Amino acid sequence: MHRVVVIGASLAGLRAAQAVRSVGHDGALVVVGDEAHLPYTRPPLSKQLLAGEQTHHDCAFPAVDTLDADWRLGAAATGLDRASKTVTLADGQSLTYDRLIIATGCRARTWPDAPGGVHTLRGIDDALALRAALDAQPQRIAIVGAGFVGCEVAATARKAGVAVTLIDVEAQPLVPLGAELGARCAALHREHGVDLRLGAGVATLRKGGVDLTDGTRVDAEVVLAAVGALPNTEWLAGSGLALDARGGLLCDATLTSVTDDDVLAAGDVVSWPHPLAGGDAVRVEHWTTAAEHGALAGRNALADDASERAGHVAPPYFWSDQYDLKIQAVGFPARGATLTIVDEDGPRLVAEARDAAGRLVGAITFNNAKRLAAYRRQLATEALGAAA
Amino acid sequence: MRVRVDMNLCQSHGECVFPAPDVFELADDDVLIWKEDVAESRRADVEAAVNACPMMAIRIEG
């Protein structure tokens, strides 16, 4: 193995590069990133960094400078030719590889025809721009999309004393949590003074506010579109690599492209069969999955024979911090036929998701990390059994 | 080696508990408790815990 190229310089790409070195690869290792920045962690971008409690420096991953890698930053990959094993970059460079690891992540979905000045939040430059806008003490921020990013920014803005209108076309915030837990989160945001508009269609995002489809105008100096993320796989068009209908890169359980054994992938872009999803292909946009994928793809990339590669079976885990509420979830709670609250004690709550046969497929806790960890252990064991 | 956790950063995700359950544990109130003096033989798993921490709160000294 002479040359490993990692496309993507965020968490998944970093962990892949670290794994490539840790298993003893002493050949070339190139890491390509579209941002100008060395890898940094993103969860604080909607919370501590946005609140001004942390800096860019605080978010930088440690030990990046001691990793023996050739960093090519500020140049997105623009094309892949598998016949010549060559990746081309936006700045005209081309790189050849023996093994390629694709970790290009997602970008924020933008609102169609949004004018300039409407914020999105994905990278640190986005977060610093939004922070500057909040630091200017606007009368109000309007947030379109009450998913995790939208709700976390709402909480951060309220803590900073900024009035918030949080808008979603759904009848609840945080749809993956189900109706009952979503209603509790809605109540929490309202208790903190958020003007929460649910079931509210957006007609227009404009500079200075949002117009709803019922004719209501929401005036706000700061507007954030927090309407989800799209996988960065357009650059693979023409490569012949199989993508799913939503742009995910189709891989087998070992994070190897179903099209090409020399191409692996990690993080948000991967669509892979998960044992806890009944073997269905899933795409997971969580921090922990990106870290786990990266480490596994890095190791697997160095296997001489694809049959020696290990599968990724860990149950997905994510968290969200809003005010004093820590939401944690493991497995695939949104795929359950039922979601039942099995324990509740003040602000602490435990809910189990089960499939139609009564099998545990996920769990969600509020302010109860220890219980969540126990479910995580249980689901990890079940996933290993299902994958065997 | 010595294991340090910055409790100002720790958010009790419990990620560290999985690779090294003999070193890290969540107490009943969800506060992390951990062993500071850890045998060298546990280094690989503690390093995995360092890498798994979303808050980058864990450091190994020595």
Side-chain angles (χ1 to χ4, degrees):
Chain A
M1 187 78 48
H2 304 293
R3 195 170 169 86
V4 177
V5 173
V6 179
I7 307 295
S10 192
L11 174 59
L14 171 64
R15 291 288 186 258
Q18 289 173 322
V20 162
R21 284 295 182 223
S22 73
V23 294
H25 174 66
D26 58 6
L29 171 62
V30 183
V31 185
V32 173
D34 63 340
E35 293 179 86
H37 310 297
L38 282 167
Y40 57 88
T41 193
R42 295 177 195 272
L45 301 187
S46 54
K47 300 181 283 282
Q48 295 91 344
L49 184 117
L50 187 60
E53 295 160 8
Q54 287 190 358
T55 63
H56 185 162
H57 180 77
D58 295 324
C59 297
F61 282 110
V64 169
D65 49 346
T66 57
L67 179 67
D68 177 16
D70 173 7
W71 297 90
R72 307 286 178 91
L73 300 175
T78 52
L80 167 62
D81 178 50
R82 291 190 297 120
S84 63
K85 294 195 164 193
T86 304
V87 176
T88 49
L89 306 187
D91 63 3
Q93 297 180 73
S94 59
L95 301 168
T96 57
Y97 64 87
D98 295 295
R99 294 279 154 78
L100 180 67
I101 301 173
I102 296 173
T104 40
C106 283
R107 63 184 180 280
R109 268 184 70 202
T110 52
W111 192 265
D113 304 321
V118 169
H119 292 262
T120 55
L121 179 52
R122 183 74 194 175
I124 195 150
D125 295 333
D126 302 332
L128 292 172
L130 186 57
R131 181 162 107 189
L134 293 180
D135 284 348
Q137 297 184 311
Q139 291 288 317
R140 180 171 297 276
I141 178 172
I143 301 169
V144 176
F148 289 98
V149 170
C151 284
E152 289 183 359
V153 172
T156 302
R158 288 304 300 133
K159 279 197 273 187
V162 176
V164 175
T165 299
L166 179 58
I167 302 159
D168 203 297
V169 72
E170 299 289 342
Q172 65 163 101
L174 305 170
V175 168
L177 298 186
E180 191 165 0
L181 301 192
R184 284 161 205 253
C185 294
L188 178 73
H189 281 277
R190 286 187 166 126
E191 280 166 27
H192 283 84
V194 171
D195 170 25
L196 184 59
R197 310 282 185 94
L198 297 173
V202 169
T204 314
L205 294 198
R206 57 185 161 78
K207 202 165 166 54
V210 178
D211 295 334
L212 304 184
T213 49
D214 67 1
T216 312
R217 285 173 64 92
V218 176
D219 291 321
E221 296 102 303
V222 184
V223 178
L224 171 69
V227 288
L230 298 170
N232 291 318
T233 51
E234 288 82 358
W235 67 283
L236 297 172
S239 71
L241 291 179
L243 304 177
D244 70 17
R246 294 181 173 182
L249 180 58
L250 280 169
C251 293
D252 65 18
T254 71
L255 310 179
T256 303
S257 161
V258 297
T259 319
D260 188 331
D261 282 350
D262 291 327
V263 178
L264 297 92
D268 294 0
V269 293
V270 182
S271 180
W272 87 108
H274 198 288
L276 289 178
D280 288 352
V282 296
R283 211 165 58 69
V284 173
E285 298 175 8
H286 303 331
W287 190 97
T288 302
T289 300
E292 293 167 347
H293 269 186
L296 181 64
R299 284 198 302 279
N300 281 350
L302 292 197
D304 287 329
D305 190 307
S307 66
E308 296 164 23
R309 295 175 183 172
H312 184 271
V313 296
Y317 161 75
F318 77 88
W319 76 92
S320 176
D321 294 310
Q322 300 166 30
Y323 314 104
D324 292 328
L325 172 65
K326 175 180 289 298
I327 302 167
Q328 291 172 290
V330 65
F332 293 93
R335 294 177 67 98
T338 59
L339 181 71
T340 309
I341 296 172
V342 294
D343 201 357
E344 188 163 17
D345 176 18
R348 306 180 90 188
L349 174 156
V350 179
E352 295 179 348
R354 295 184 179 276
D355 66 13
R359 221 168 40 102
L360 186 75
V361 295
I364 302 172
T365 61
F366 285 3
N367 300 322
N368 205 327
K370 190 179 176 76
R371 288 285 293 277
L372 196 282
Y375 284 110
R376 201 167 160 188
R377 254 179 237 111
Q378 181 182 345
L379 285 167
T381 305
E382 287 182 16
L384 279 173
Chain B
M1 63 185 166
R2 289 185 72 77
V3 177
R4 304 282 190 199
V5 180
D6 183 338
M7 289 304 287
N8 291 320
L9 293 176
C10 176
Q11 298 279 332
S12 300
H13 288 296
E15 294 273 358
C16 51
V17 172
F18 291 89
D22 53 327
V23 178
F24 302 97
E25 184 186 350
L26 288 173
D28 288 339
D29 59 359
D30 286 348
V31 174
L32 184 73
I33 45 182
W34 73 99
K35 288 183 189 156
E36 290 213 324
D37 287 303
V38 179
E40 187 58 31
S41 61
R42 301 294 297 129
R43 180 173 291 271
D45 286 335
V46 174
E47 283 179 350
V50 169
N51 277 341
C53 177
M55 307 313 294
M56 301 186 289
I58 308 171
R59 280 184 303 131
I60 299 172
E61 290 177 359

